[in-house]
Amino acid sequence: MGDFLNRAWHFLFSWVNREFFIFLFFLAVAGIFWLLTTLNENFEQEVKIPVKFVHVPKNVVLTSGEDDTLRFTVRDKGISLITYFYKKEQQPIEIDFSRYANSNGQGSVPTADLLRLASLRLPASAKAISVKPEKELFYFNNGEKKMVPVRYQGKVEPDMLYFISSITYSSDSITIYASEDKLDSITTAYTEPIVNKGFRDSLTITARLQQIEGVKMVPNQVTIHFQTDMLTEGTIEGIPVVGINMPEGKVLRTFPAKLAVSFVTGMKNYQTLQPSDFLIVADYNELTADTTARCNVYLRQQPDGIQRVKMATEQVDYLIEEHNGEKL
């Protein structure tokens, strides 16, 4: 072991290796000098600066713009830009609401003012040369609001042998703040598009609501729970055929008097279904215009959560009787 250490020592500090270490030392010094020289030059870099509105009256609700972040192109020395990017928190630009708001529920801050305000948050040597968007638009109202239901949009499809038996929302409705015309036009708040396919177990997704310009949503996101169930084919028998639009004193007799309905549904849902959950009808108004001995029957009511519903037949024989039993 000692012989190995001696050989390694002589190898590392032989004349050839001393020359190599000297070369690496000067290479490192040159690299540091080059880096310092480069960082001392001016660069242009896009930085994000948040926006905060101040002097907002108590009765005013900002319906957009209060959480905006603007993208500025900044020119400064490289070392300053690096220091700026590594700040934990960026100081927001403060926009005076009373200065830029107008009487029609909106306002805008011109580019020149945005650049001036940004300069107050940048290092002294930095200069903001452009901003995106070029104007800061914001909207507000005096508290006008309404409740609207929430619905998801997108493609949420379970595995082939499963289906979605129920959908629940953490908030089935939300409050929106906007101008009167927008409040009148919005009837539903939709999520941003959701795509999830091929799942079997129940699925829970937290989704942001799709933003509308000039509209504030509270809350701005919801948690959606998709309950799944395994598909099964089922049949419910003994569903009576009911005559509708029958004149007083007349009774409809059909043969058969009761029908079966087949469908596809979830195993859990199938176990709760009863004949009374369905309604099969025959319309007297159709019978008076038809001279045949058979009448059409229609499924007018069915429970939620079933698919591919089919009656055993769509026509039945019938008789119309008076209350005294006389056949017509």
Side-chain angles (χ1 to χ4, degrees), residues 18 49 60 78 102 134 156 162 189 193 216 218 234 301 311:
R18 280 202 305 272
I49 304 178
V60 167
N102 55 35
E134 293 184 353
V156 180
Y162 292 77
K216 180 179 181 178
V218 180
Q301 175 184 302
M311 293 185 297

Side-chain angles (χ1 to χ4, degrees), residues 248-300:
E248 186 177 355
K250 296 184 183 296
V251 177
L252 175 68
R253 307 289 186 189
T254 64
F255 306 93
K258 297 181 179 181
L259 296 176
V261 172
S262 60
F263 47 83
V264 173
T265 187
M267 183 68 72
K268 296 177 183 178
N269 190 42
Y270 177 64
Q271 295 172 352
T272 66
L273 296 179
Q274 302 291 333
S276 58
D277 296 325
F278 300 83
L279 176 63
I280 298 176
V281 301
D283 192 344
Y284 178 82
N285 293 333
E286 286 189 6
L287 305 183
T288 57
D290 191 355
T291 58
T292 65
R294 296 178 65 81
C295 67
N296 296 323
V297 290
Y298 304 94
L299 182 63
R300 287 289 176 85

Side-chain angles (χ1 to χ4, degrees), residues 49-315:
I49 304 178
V51 170
K52 178 182 178 181
F53 285 86
V54 296
H55 304 145
V56 181
K58 291 183 178 180
N59 63 325
V60 167
V61 177
L62 287 167
T63 58
S64 69
E66 70 271 25
D67 296 321
D68 280 355
T69 298
L70 301 177
R71 304 191 308 276
F72 290 88
T73 300
V74 176
R75 180 183 294 138
D76 198 359
K77 295 185 182 298
I79 189 66
S80 297
L81 288 176
I82 290 176
T83 303
Y84 183 78
F85 280 121
Y86 278 94
K87 285 184 178 179
K88 291 184 178 180
E89 293 184 3
Q90 306 294 349
Q91 288 294 320
I93 291 174
E94 294 187 349
I95 296 177
D96 188 344
F97 173 87
S98 61
R99 179 176 179 182
Y100 299 102
N102 55 35
S103 59
N104 61 357
Q106 63 182 17
S108 65
V109 186
T111 301
D113 287 2
L114 292 174
L115 295 176
R116 176 180 58 80
L117 292 169
S119 66
L120 302 176
R121 295 292 178 261
L122 294 171
S125 59
K127 181 179 180 181
I129 58 177
S130 66
V131 60
K132 294 178 183 178
E134 293 184 353
K135 288 184 179 181
E136 168 68 356
L137 299 175
F138 61 95
Y139 300 85
F140 62 93
N141 71 6
N142 293 317
E144 294 85 0
K145 62 182 179 179
K146 79 172 185 179
M147 300 284 290
V148 295
V150 176
R151 294 292 180 269
Y152 85 92
Q153 61 175 340
K155 290 187 177 181
V156 180
E157 300 174 356
D159 185 79
M160 287 181 60
L161 298 178
Y162 292 77
F163 84 113
I164 297 173
S165 58
S166 66
I167 303 174
T168 56
Y169 297 82
S170 59
S171 298
D172 57 5
S173 60
I174 64 163
T175 303
I176 61 172
Y177 297 82
S179 59
E180 288 187 9
D181 57 335
K182 287 192 175 182
L183 288 177
D184 292 338
S185 65
I186 299 173
T187 58
T188 306
Y190 292 97
T191 66
E192 294 179 347
I194 300 171
V195 177
N196 199 307
K197 298 181 180 181
F199 59 95
R200 293 189 176 187
D201 295 330
S202 299
L203 177 69
T204 300
I205 296 177
T206 298
R208 290 185 62 84
L209 297 177
Q210 192 165 53
Q211 296 301 301
I212 303 172
E213 187 177 31
V215 178
K216 180 179 181 178
M217 301 181 178
V218 180
N220 62 4
Q221 67 179 26
V222 294
T223 298
I224 312 170
H225 182 71
F226 298 89
Q227 180 68 45
T228 58
D229 198 357
M230 182 175 288
L231 286 172
T232 184
E233 293 184 357
T235 300
I236 295 292
E237 299 181 352
I239 304 171
V241 179
V242 179
I244 60 173
N245 298 319
M246 299 297 298
E248 186 177 355
K250 296 184 183 296
V251 177
L252 175 68
R253 307 289 186 189
T254 64
F255 306 93
K258 297 181 179 181
L259 296 176
V261 172
S262 60
F263 47 83
V264 173
T265 187
M267 183 68 72
K268 296 177 183 178
N269 190 42
Y270 177 64
Q271 295 172 352
T272 66
L273 296 179
Q274 302 291 333
S276 58
D277 296 325
F278 300 83
L279 176 63
I280 298 176
V281 301
D283 192 344
Y284 178 82
N285 293 333
E286 286 189 6
L287 305 183
T288 57
D290 191 355
T291 58
T292 65
R294 296 178 65 81
C295 67
N296 296 323
V297 290
Y298 304 94
L299 182 63
R300 287 289 176 85
Q301 175 184 302
Q302 65 185 57
D304 295 332
I306 65 174
Q307 306 172 15
R308 300 202 290 267
V309 185
K310 185 178 181 181
M311 293 185 297
T313 181
E314 294 183 351
Q315 284 191 329

Side-chain angles (χ1 to χ4, degrees), residues 17-29:
N17 284 295
R18 280 202 305 272
E19 293 292 324
F20 178 68
F21 286 134
I22 292 172
F23 168 76
L24 289 180
F25 172 77
F26 282 105
L27 180 63
V29 170

